Structures are given as C-alpha cells and as structure tokens.
Amino acid sequence: MVDVLVTNGPLLIAIAATFGFLMAWGIGANDVANAMGTSVGSNAITIKQAIIIAMIFEFAGAYLAGGEVTSTIRKGIIDAAYFVDSPELLVYGMISALLAAGIWLIAASALGWPVSTTHSIIGAIVGFAAVGVGTDAVEWAKVAAIVGSWVVTPAISGFIAFMIFQSVQKLIFDTDNPLENAKRYVPFYMALAGFMMSLVTIQKGLKHIGLHFSTAEAYALALGIAVIVGIGGSLAIKRLKMDSQADRQTQFGNVEKVFAVLMIVTASCMAFAHGSNDVANAIGPLAAVVSIVNSGGEIGSEAAIVWWILPLGAVGIVMGLAIFGKRVMQTIGKNITHLTPSRGFAAELAAASTVVIASGTGLPISTTQTLVGAVLGVGMARGIAAINMGVVRNIVISWVITLPAGAALSILFFFTIKGIFS
C-alpha cells in the first residue's frame, strides 16, 4: 500500500497543508483569547490593540520558537508501531484529525466556547486510531492523565489566582492609602510576574531556537529578569504623577491604571509562550504526513519540519485570531465575572504560574482550562454571586464534549479519506 503514498504523495501533502491551516486558524480563533481575553475584558486594552499585540507575539512565538523538529505524534497518545506495515493509515488519520479538530474549534469559537485546542487534536487522533486501527494502538493511560488534568489544572490556577487577588485586596485596596501601598507593593508583583513570565518563555519558547538552559540556569536567569523588572517597575511607578490626597475612588482608578500596564506585559508573554507551544497542535500532524510521504512510508518518532510549515501555522493562527477571535475573548474577559485590571492581572499571573508548575511536573495542561480556572478563582475571591454560573456550566460542558466530538468527526473523515484513496 506504500504505492498510494508514492502516487498520491503531493496530493496528500496539499490536503494535509490545507487542513493544517484550518486547524491553526481554529487555534487562533479559540486559544488566543486565553492570552488576551482578560486584558480586553478588564478594559486594559481594546480588542483592536489586543489583536495587534497577539499577532506580533503569537507569530514571533510560533515562527521563532515553534521548533525545527516536532514529535510525530503529540504527547505519545498512540503507538506508532501499529502503523509500520500500513503507514498510509497514519497519513489518512493525521489528515482526518486535522480536519476534525479544525472544524470543532471553529464551531466552538463561533459559539464563544473556550475549549482546549490540545484536547481537540488529541481526541481526533485517539478517535481514528481506536476505530480505524484498533484500541490497542491508543495509550489509554496517557488519555486518562489528560482527562484528570481537566480537574487538576483549573483547580491549581483558581487557587493561585484567589490567593494573589486576596493579597492585592489586603495589601492595597483595603488600606487607608491605596495609592501609597500600590507604589510600595506593585513592584513585587511586577517582579513575580517577570519571574513567572520569563520562566514560561525560557522553558516553552527558547529551547527550540537552540538555546538550551539547565533548570538551574533557567531559574537563575528568570530571577535576574525578575529583579530588573521589579526595580524598573518601582522607578516607573515613582514617576507617575498621582495625587495621593485624592478621594479613594480616584485612588482606586489610579491603582488600576498601574495594573493595566502590567497586564499588557503579561499578555504579550502569554501570547509568545502560547504561539511557541500550541502551534505544534497544527503543525505536528502536518509534519508527520510530510515526513512519512517524503520518506516513502517510514515513521520516525520525530519529524523534521519543512521550511514552509511553520509560517503556514503562524499565519493561520494570526488570521483566525484577527477574523474570529472576538467571541471567545468576550466569554473569558466579560461573561464569567466582572474583571478590572488588578483582577485580570491576578488571573493571568496565576495561569502563567500554573503553566510553569505543570511543565516542571510533566502534567498535561490546557492553557484554556488554566485561564478559565484562574478567572473563576478571582471571581470566587469576591463571592460566588460574582460569577455567572450559566456561562461556567456551558464552558464545562464544552470541555467534556471536546474529546468525543473530535474523535467522532475524525472517525467519519478517516473512513471517507481511506475510501477515496484505497
């Protein structure tokens, strides 16, 4: 059956590239709201500014740090040994997985549901492998770990966000002189943000460019950046002309302005880390197809990325975000709970911290679920009444149906494509 790959190779690659672009488009439409939703929802930046910032940093992350090599099968979800004798099945499967996950993400984005792009592609890959090849081809333990992470990661990020926001309340907002205290404490929050954000960027982003740091070096570098950010922040805040004799409402407004600046920095870092990390969901299956076709049916554990694949993924993400990204931003930023810059900052810092903890411990993680958990945590800090439970219920339902929806679509497309080519 390898003849199929020889005779239809270019056509299969073209189809895979089209669906890979669709998948990247879906990632842009759905996931980029995670990096930008809180900033837009708290009115720190406008939607237009968010789209411009995200376009620059997502593209930079995806293109510069997206990696020269990607593992053919993301996170070892299926066992490639089952495809050695029939590599064309893996090609059909990856093509159907890209189409299935892309369609599901675009449907979810149209409904304003923040779902996990990682889970969409994993569901799709599990679907075609289990039904098209055999249930033994799926590493079910890995799938179970991912399902477990639905509860664990939002809980961790929610708890961290709750604690950060409570500390902001106690140290700044609930005091007699919120402005003075903001000048005193905000540099520490800035340093903490600098530390977490640089760790996320170093761990997720830089290893692809050929900069390899040991864990100790990464932490040392992040600490250095944190100190610089803290000192810089302290100097910048001292220069702000604000009247500390003003009434409390005005002071609160001024404190929020300080946090608004911080949010733009955290959002940019999140966008970079997200671009570098999640572009693999679109280009991993595509790179696998290209490498199997070009090698005449050999399946390696890693696939070198052909020059045109990364820009395709990066452009897809940016276009999906620009044209379709508004709805999910609305859900995360406005519909779950009312956000101000300080609350949004607490949520983003918590999400970044959770990503760092997860990469350190090898927890499978969804940026979407981490951020939704963090926004919920900030809402909880103001009491359960501050949360729109209807929106939360819809989000949780959409998470649960992501894996089966991806799987069902991918099974359907798999048999269709197999029927066409064989």
Side-chain angles (χ1 to χ4, degrees):
M1 285 299 286
V2 177
D3 314 344
V4 178
L5 298 182
V6 178
T7 46
N8 298 318
L11 177 60
L12 287 167
I13 287 178
I15 297 172
T18 312
F19 297 163
F21 184 80
L22 180 82
M23 172 74 186
W25 174 291
I27 293 176
N30 202 292
D31 249 16
V32 174
N34 307 344
M36 293 294 158
T38 43
S39 314
V40 173
S42 62
N43 299 326
I45 49 179
T46 63
I47 285 229
K48 208 181 219 164
Q49 290 166 328
I51 288 175
I52 292 167
I53 294 174
M55 281 163 82
I56 295 166
F57 285 97
E58 285 278 340
F59 189 86
Y63 190 64
L64 296 174
E68 291 101 45
V69 175
T70 177
S71 42
T72 0
I73 298 160
R74 282 282 277 169
K75 310 202 189 307
I77 292 297
I78 55 177
D79 184 352
Y82 285 84
F83 296 91
V84 173
D85 298 331
S86 48
E88 73 285 352
L89 290 184
L90 187 56
V91 170
Y92 303 155
M94 288 301 183
I95 291 176
S96 34
L98 284 171
L99 179 58
I103 288 177
W104 169 245
L105 285 176
I106 288 170
S109 306
L111 293 164
W113 292 346
V115 295
S116 162
T117 53
T118 312
H119 294 171
S120 309
I121 193 75
I122 286 174
I125 290 177
V126 167
F128 88 77
V131 176
V133 182
T135 46
D136 297 348
V138 178
E139 300 280 353
W140 292 106
K142 292 267 173 74
V143 179
I146 289 162
V147 173
S149 73
W150 291 351
V151 182
V152 178
T153 48
I156 295 172
S157 63
F159 176 72
I160 298 174
F162 181 87
M163 298 310 286
I164 293 172
F165 185 64
Q166 286 286 29
S167 72
V168 172
Q169 286 286 48
K170 295 264 183 307
L171 295 173
I172 297 173
F173 288 107
D174 295 347
T175 57
D176 295 335
N177 197 335
L179 203 57
E180 280 310 305
N181 284 324
K183 287 182 177 174
R184 182 175 308 139
Y185 293 116
V186 168
F188 289 103
Y189 288 111
M190 288 180 153
L192 181 59
F195 179 71
M196 285 304 177
M197 289 297 167
S198 42
L199 257 187
V200 169
T201 312
I202 293 163
Q203 287 183 334
K204 291 271 182 217
L206 299 181
K207 57 176 180 283
H208 304 308
I209 316 176
L211 290 174
H212 293 277
F213 294 102
S214 67
T215 312
E217 288 167 344
Y219 276 87
L221 188 61
L223 261 177
I225 294 171
V227 171
I228 295 166
V229 169
I231 293 169
S234 166
L235 295 172
I237 293 172
K238 284 204 172 73
R239 293 181 53 183
L240 289 175
K241 294 276 174 278
M242 297 185 204
D243 181 11
S244 53
Q245 302 309 310
D247 61 50
R248 285 179 73 82
Q249 234 26 56
T250 316
Q251 287 202 36
F252 284 156
N254 287 335
V255 172
E256 291 292 0
K257 276 184 198 145
V258 176
F259 277 106
V261 177
L262 260 182
M263 284 210 68
I264 297 170
V265 181
T266 50
S268 307
C269 294
M270 282 297 270
F272 183 85
H274 175 262
S276 66
N277 197 38
D278 275 21
V279 73
N281 288 332
I283 64 171
L286 173 55
V289 170
V290 175
S291 104
I292 294 167
V293 171
N294 287 346
S295 66
E298 265 181 62
I299 303 171
S301 60
E302 292 194 323
I305 293 182
V306 191
W307 66 269
W308 53 267
I309 293 183
L310 265 179
L312 177 100
V315 170
I317 285 183
V318 166
M319 283 179 65
L321 150 83
I323 296 167
F324 223 54
K326 217 158 153 175
R327 295 182 175 179
V328 182
M329 277 193 207
Q330 177 79 21
T331 303
I332 285 190
K334 302 245 193 238
N335 300 354
I336 297 177
T337 187
H338 175 67
L339 289 177
T340 58
S342 56
R343 293 172 198 159
F345 168 72
E348 273 197 2
L349 183 53
S353 311
T354 310
V355 172
V356 170
I357 294 167
S359 359
T361 53
L363 262 179
I365 191 169
S366 148
T367 34
T368 309
Q369 294 173 348
T370 311
L371 192 76
V372 170
V375 172
L376 281 175
V378 172
M380 290 298 263
R382 295 164 49 232
I384 197 106
I387 297 172
N388 182 338
M389 292 315 278
V391 173
V392 175
R393 188 191 61 229
N394 288 347
I395 291 174
V396 172
I397 292 170
S398 74
W399 288 356
V400 175
I401 56 181
T402 291
L403 278 175
L409 285 169
S410 124
I411 292 164
L412 180 73
F413 298 141
F414 176 71
F415 285 111
T416 311
I417 293 170
K418 190 176 161 188
I420 292 169
F421 282 101
S422 49

